[in-house]
Amino acid sequence: MEIGSGHTWAAVRVPDNKYAVIPNQMVIGKLNLKDSKNYMASTNLVKKVKAWSQNKKIKLAGYVKGTVNYSKAFGTNDKTDAIYNRPRMWDGQRILTPSKKQSITKKSYTLFLKPDKKVSPAKVGQVLSSHFTGTKYSSYGKWKAGYRPINVPTDVESHILQIRNNVPKEYAAIQWLAMASPANSVYLPFYTNISDTPSQYKVDGDYQDPTNTKSAYWTYKTTAMVVEAYKHKKFIDSSTGKKTDLIYKDVNPTKKAVTK
């Protein structure tokens, strides 16, 4: 579902065998409102967009012969999106459907794609923790080629909401939660009907102390700060004061340690 300019809305059903990667950009395209099973929109949307498109002061795009392209009418697709949004859509689709070869500089991507393999929570976590991992655009602390990755060091938390259909309904819903940046954290399952939470996740968020090892957030945040220094090919050797070359591989030391 997307809301355009605060005055209209549109929604499209995600096909059962496909997925959608949504950046901070409107992506719902042409609306087939005759197909009420798969498309919905605010009242008189087509009439409103038609009127706005004919208004000389507004000149709204997106209306063609009785149909509305919602993202063209109310969204953007400019130079900022080429740096900040479309590359993230490209990266998510690259991970979930690697068989589909695409350029990171495309002006638009298909909204719904079929994954090459069934998507698991772990695979979703891979998408959310990606910073163009494994590609020539790989970045974390710095954006290479100016592209904004899905995961950045300033992430506060990341979550995956899962509803399972093979268990009793009272246990069906799970929130997988990774504190701080998921590139240096782990997703832990929290059942939505729990009555208590692990103590490490109860620490007051206003207590800004990176040395607080009782806090899950600060543990993962500090790990990211420590690991980040070794993710650059050159750094300052504290003993000599000189720049030193490092052998760098785009890996996640935290997750490797956890899985051992």
Side-chain angles (χ1 to χ4, degrees):
M1 178 184 176
E2 294 178 346
I3 299 174
S5 71
H7 301 286
T8 68
W9 62 268
V12 57
R13 185 185 300 274
V14 181
D16 291 340
N17 64 339
K18 296 183 179 181
Y19 67 87
V21 177
I22 311 297
N24 287 32
Q25 178 184 19
M26 287 191 171
V27 291
I28 295 179
K30 185 177 179 180
L31 300 174
N32 180 11
L33 296 178
K34 292 181 180 180
D35 181 5
S36 59
K37 181 180 178 180
N38 294 298
Y39 293 88
M40 297 175 65
S42 52
T43 305
N44 296 323
L45 174 67
V46 176
K47 290 182 179 180
K48 290 178 180 178
V49 174
K50 180 181 180 180
W52 290 332
S53 69
Q54 296 173 344
N55 187 308
K56 293 182 179 180
K57 293 183 178 180
I58 301 176
K59 295 181 180 180
L60 194 69
Y63 175 82
V64 178
K65 297 180 180 180
T67 63
V68 170
N69 184 307
Y70 201 72
S71 60
K72 285 187 177 181
F74 299 102
T76 60
N77 199 10
D78 53 25
K79 292 181 179 179
T80 300
D81 294 307
I83 295 174
Y84 194 86
N85 290 314
R86 295 200 301 268
R88 289 188 283 171
M89 197 169 182
W90 170 84
D91 199 23
Q93 292 186 353
R94 173 189 68 87
I95 295 171
L96 298 177
T97 312
S99 62
K100 187 175 180 63
K101 306 303 179 183
Q102 304 183 95
S103 169
I104 198 171
T105 58
K106 282 184 63 175
K107 292 186 177 181
S108 64
Y109 296 93
T110 302
L111 176 55
F112 301 126
L113 282 184
K114 186 176 181 179
D116 285 354
K117 297 180 180 180
K118 189 174 182 179
V119 178
S120 65
K123 200 66 177 179
V124 176
Q126 182 184 347
V127 172
L128 295 177
S129 62
S130 178
H131 39 87
F132 305 118
T133 310
T135 75
K136 64 182 179 181
Y137 308 109
S138 179
S139 61
Y140 189 59
K142 295 182 179 180
W143 303 358
K144 292 187 178 180
Y147 299 137
R148 198 272 192 198
I150 295 173
N151 171 238
V152 293
T154 53
D155 286 348
V156 175
E157 61 86 30
S158 180
H159 56 268
I160 302 168
L161 305 181
Q162 180 186 19
I163 300 177
R164 303 173 298 166
N165 56 13
N166 58 344
V167 297
K169 63 181 182 179
E170 59 267 28
Y171 305 111
I174 296 179
Q175 177 179 218
W176 297 84
L177 179 64
M179 297 303 292
S181 172
N184 299 285
S185 183
V186 292
Y187 285 93
L188 296 181
F190 286 77
Y191 289 90
T192 53
N193 64 342
I194 58 176
S195 57
D196 199 4
T197 302
S199 60
Q200 296 90 339
Y201 290 80
K202 292 181 180 179
V203 179
D204 189 348
D206 293 330
Y207 186 50
Q208 304 297 312
D209 182 5
T211 64
N212 186 355
T213 57
K214 294 182 179 180
S215 164
Y217 171 81
W218 280 114
T219 298
Y220 291 121
K221 189 70 172 178
T222 305
T223 301
M225 294 165 61
V226 172
V227 172
E228 177 63 16
Y230 295 94
K231 287 197 169 187
H232 295 287
K233 292 182 179 179
K234 290 182 180 293
F235 78 114
I236 303 298
D237 189 323
S238 60
S239 62
T240 64
K242 297 180 179 180
K243 288 186 177 180
T244 305
D245 288 325
L246 291 177
I247 299 174
Y248 165 62
K249 292 182 67 176
D250 194 358
V251 297
N252 190 321
T254 305
K255 288 182 180 177
K256 279 196 170 185
V258 170
T259 56
K260 286 183 179 180

PDB file of all heavy atoms in Angstrom, residues 184-198:
ATOM      1  N   ASN A 184      26.488  -6.780  11.754  1.00  0.00           N
ATOM      2  CA  ASN A 184      27.346  -7.190  12.862  1.00  0.00           C
ATOM      3  C   ASN A 184      26.526  -7.668  14.051  1.00  0.00           C
ATOM      4  O   ASN A 184      26.963  -7.599  15.198  1.00  0.00           O
ATOM      5  CB  ASN A 184      28.238  -6.024  13.293  1.00  0.00           C
ATOM      6  CG  ASN A 184      29.146  -5.565  12.180  1.00  0.00           C
ATOM      7  OD1 ASN A 184      30.124  -6.214  11.866  1.00  0.00           O
ATOM      8  ND2 ASN A 184      28.802  -4.450  11.555  1.00  0.00           N
ATOM      9  N   SER A 185      25.325  -8.149  13.762  1.00  0.00           N
ATOM     10  CA  SER A 185      24.427  -8.593  14.812  1.00  0.00           C
ATOM     11  C   SER A 185      23.832  -9.934  14.390  1.00  0.00           C
ATOM     12  O   SER A 185      24.212 -10.499  13.369  1.00  0.00           O
ATOM     13  CB  SER A 185      23.323  -7.546  15.030  1.00  0.00           C
ATOM     14  OG  SER A 185      22.476  -7.914  16.092  1.00  0.00           O
ATOM     15  N   VAL A 186      22.933 -10.460  15.193  1.00  0.00           N
ATOM     16  CA  VAL A 186      22.238 -11.700  14.853  1.00  0.00           C
ATOM     17  C   VAL A 186      20.748 -11.517  15.089  1.00  0.00           C
ATOM     18  O   VAL A 186      20.330 -10.766  15.974  1.00  0.00           O
ATOM     19  CB  VAL A 186      22.750 -12.900  15.689  1.00  0.00           C
ATOM     20  CG1 VAL A 186      24.175 -13.249  15.307  1.00  0.00           C
ATOM     21  CG2 VAL A 186      22.654 -12.608  17.179  1.00  0.00           C
ATOM     22  N   TYR A 187      19.953 -12.202  14.279  1.00  0.00           N
ATOM     23  CA  TYR A 187      18.504 -12.147  14.430  1.00  0.00           C
ATOM     24  C   TYR A 187      18.072 -13.214  15.439  1.00  0.00           C
ATOM     25  O   TYR A 187      18.321 -14.394  15.256  1.00  0.00           O
ATOM     26  CB  TYR A 187      17.814 -12.400  13.093  1.00  0.00           C
ATOM     27  CG  TYR A 187      17.876 -11.234  12.144  1.00  0.00           C
ATOM     28  CD1 TYR A 187      18.900 -11.142  11.195  1.00  0.00           C
ATOM     29  CD2 TYR A 187      16.916 -10.226  12.176  1.00  0.00           C
ATOM     30  CE1 TYR A 187      18.961 -10.083  10.308  1.00  0.00           C
ATOM     31  CE2 TYR A 187      16.977  -9.160  11.310  1.00  0.00           C
ATOM     32  CZ  TYR A 187      17.993  -9.082  10.379  1.00  0.00           C
ATOM     33  OH  TYR A 187      18.050  -8.024   9.502  1.00  0.00           O
ATOM     34  N   LEU A 188      17.411 -12.768  16.511  1.00  0.00           N
ATOM     35  CA  LEU A 188      16.900 -13.678  17.524  1.00  0.00           C
ATOM     36  C   LEU A 188      15.378 -13.720  17.446  1.00  0.00           C
ATOM     37  O   LEU A 188      14.726 -12.691  17.253  1.00  0.00           O
ATOM     38  CB  LEU A 188      17.323 -13.227  18.923  1.00  0.00           C
ATOM     39  CG  LEU A 188      18.828 -13.246  19.217  1.00  0.00           C
ATOM     40  CD1 LEU A 188      19.066 -12.798  20.659  1.00  0.00           C
ATOM     41  CD2 LEU A 188      19.408 -14.627  18.998  1.00  0.00           C
ATOM     42  N   PRO A 189      14.767 -14.904  17.620  1.00  0.00           N
ATOM     43  CA  PRO A 189      13.313 -15.026  17.528  1.00  0.00           C
ATOM     44  C   PRO A 189      12.613 -14.632  18.826  1.00  0.00           C
ATOM     45  O   PRO A 189      12.946 -15.122  19.897  1.00  0.00           O
ATOM     46  CB  PRO A 189      13.111 -16.510  17.218  1.00  0.00           C
ATOM     47  CG  PRO A 189      14.290 -17.178  17.861  1.00  0.00           C
ATOM     48  CD  PRO A 189      15.429 -16.211  17.748  1.00  0.00           C
ATOM     49  N   PHE A 190      11.653 -13.732  18.702  1.00  0.00           N
ATOM     50  CA  PHE A 190      10.807 -13.350  19.836  1.00  0.00           C
ATOM     51  C   PHE A 190       9.363 -13.723  19.488  1.00  0.00           C
ATOM     52  O   PHE A 190       8.799 -13.196  18.529  1.00  0.00           O
ATOM     53  CB  PHE A 190      10.888 -11.841  20.097  1.00  0.00           C
ATOM     54  CG  PHE A 190      12.167 -11.386  20.735  1.00  0.00           C
ATOM     55  CD1 PHE A 190      13.330 -11.271  19.987  1.00  0.00           C
ATOM     56  CD2 PHE A 190      12.218 -11.085  22.084  1.00  0.00           C
ATOM     57  CE1 PHE A 190      14.519 -10.850  20.564  1.00  0.00           C
ATOM     58  CE2 PHE A 190      13.402 -10.656  22.680  1.00  0.00           C
ATOM     59  CZ  PHE A 190      14.558 -10.549  21.916  1.00  0.00           C
ATOM     60  N   TYR A 191       8.783 -14.651  20.248  1.00  0.00           N
ATOM     61  CA  TYR A 191       7.381 -14.988  20.028  1.00  0.00           C
ATOM     62  C   TYR A 191       6.522 -13.804  20.448  1.00  0.00           C
ATOM     63  O   TYR A 191       6.775 -13.174  21.483  1.00  0.00           O
ATOM     64  CB  TYR A 191       6.983 -16.231  20.823  1.00  0.00           C
ATOM     65  CG  TYR A 191       7.588 -17.500  20.287  1.00  0.00           C
ATOM     66  CD1 TYR A 191       8.814 -17.956  20.749  1.00  0.00           C
ATOM     67  CD2 TYR A 191       6.933 -18.245  19.304  1.00  0.00           C
ATOM     68  CE1 TYR A 191       9.383 -19.115  20.260  1.00  0.00           C
ATOM     69  CE2 TYR A 191       7.482 -19.409  18.808  1.00  0.00           C
ATOM     70  CZ  TYR A 191       8.707 -19.844  19.283  1.00  0.00           C
ATOM     71  OH  TYR A 191       9.277 -20.988  18.790  1.00  0.00           O
ATOM     72  N   THR A 192       5.509 -13.494  19.669  1.00  0.00           N
ATOM     73  CA  THR A 192       4.722 -12.293  19.942  1.00  0.00           C
ATOM     74  C   THR A 192       3.784 -12.442  21.136  1.00  0.00           C
ATOM     75  O   THR A 192       3.191 -11.461  21.576  1.00  0.00           O
ATOM     76  CB  THR A 192       3.899 -11.902  18.701  1.00  0.00           C
ATOM     77  OG1 THR A 192       3.126 -13.032  18.268  1.00  0.00           O
ATOM     78  CG2 THR A 192       4.801 -11.457  17.568  1.00  0.00           C
ATOM     79  N   ASN A 193       3.646 -13.649  21.669  1.00  0.00           N
ATOM     80  CA  ASN A 193       2.767 -13.822  22.844  1.00  0.00           C
ATOM     81  C   ASN A 193       3.561 -14.012  24.129  1.00  0.00           C
ATOM     82  O   ASN A 193       3.029 -14.474  25.136  1.00  0.00           O
ATOM     83  CB  ASN A 193       1.836 -15.022  22.633  1.00  0.00           C
ATOM     84  CG  ASN A 193       2.604 -16.334  22.530  1.00  0.00           C
ATOM     85  OD1 ASN A 193       3.799 -16.338  22.289  1.00  0.00           O
ATOM     86  ND2 ASN A 193       1.908 -17.452  22.714  1.00  0.00           N
ATOM     87  N   ILE A 194       4.866 -13.633  24.121  1.00  0.00           N
ATOM     88  CA  ILE A 194       5.671 -13.789  25.333  1.00  0.00           C
ATOM     89  C   ILE A 194       5.237 -12.766  26.387  1.00  0.00           C
ATOM     90  O   ILE A 194       4.700 -11.709  26.078  1.00  0.00           O
ATOM     91  CB  ILE A 194       7.175 -13.626  25.043  1.00  0.00           C
ATOM     92  CG1 ILE A 194       7.468 -12.248  24.424  1.00  0.00           C
ATOM     93  CG2 ILE A 194       7.672 -14.732  24.137  1.00  0.00           C
ATOM     94  CD1 ILE A 194       8.945 -11.982  24.207  1.00  0.00           C
ATOM     95  N   SER A 195       5.497 -13.103  27.646  1.00  0.00           N
ATOM     96  CA  SER A 195       5.153 -12.200  28.751  1.00  0.00           C
ATOM     97  C   SER A 195       6.400 -11.601  29.391  1.00  0.00           C
ATOM     98  O   SER A 195       6.300 -10.826  30.337  1.00  0.00           O
ATOM     99  CB  SER A 195       4.345 -12.957  29.815  1.00  0.00           C
ATOM    100  OG  SER A 195       5.080 -14.081  30.288  1.00  0.00           O
ATOM    101  N   ASP A 196       7.557 -11.993  28.901  1.00  0.00           N
ATOM    102  CA  ASP A 196       8.801 -11.469  29.435  1.00  0.00           C
ATOM    103  C   ASP A 196       9.835 -11.409  28.314  1.00  0.00           C
ATOM    104  O   ASP A 196       9.670 -12.042  27.266  1.00  0.00           O
ATOM    105  CB  ASP A 196       9.314 -12.339  30.577  1.00  0.00           C
ATOM    106  CG  ASP A 196      10.329 -11.608  31.450  1.00  0.00           C
ATOM    107  OD1 ASP A 196      10.561 -10.405  31.198  1.00  0.00           O
ATOM    108  OD2 ASP A 196      10.884 -12.240  32.362  1.00  0.00           O
ATOM    109  N   THR A 197      10.917 -10.653  28.532  1.00  0.00           N
ATOM    110  CA  THR A 197      11.960 -10.457  27.535  1.00  0.00           C
ATOM    111  C   THR A 197      13.315 -10.646  28.197  1.00  0.00           C
ATOM    112  O   THR A 197      13.494 -10.271  29.360  1.00  0.00           O
ATOM    113  CB  THR A 197      11.873  -9.022  26.948  1.00  0.00           C
ATOM    114  OG1 THR A 197      10.577  -8.835  26.381  1.00  0.00           O
ATOM    115  CG2 THR A 197      12.918  -8.802  25.881  1.00  0.00           C
ATOM    116  N   PRO A 198      14.300 -11.227  27.510  1.00  0.00           N
ATOM    117  CA  PRO A 198      15.640 -11.384  28.090  1.00  0.00           C
ATOM    118  C   PRO A 198      16.169 -10.057  28.637  1.00  0.00           C
ATOM    119  O   PRO A 198      15.942  -8.996  28.049  1.00  0.00           O
ATOM    120  CB  PRO A 198      16.475 -11.876  26.903  1.00  0.00           C
ATOM    121  CG  PRO A 198      15.495 -12.592  26.042  1.00  0.00           C
ATOM    122  CD  PRO A 198      14.222 -11.815  26.165  1.00  0.00           C
TER     123      PRO A 198
END
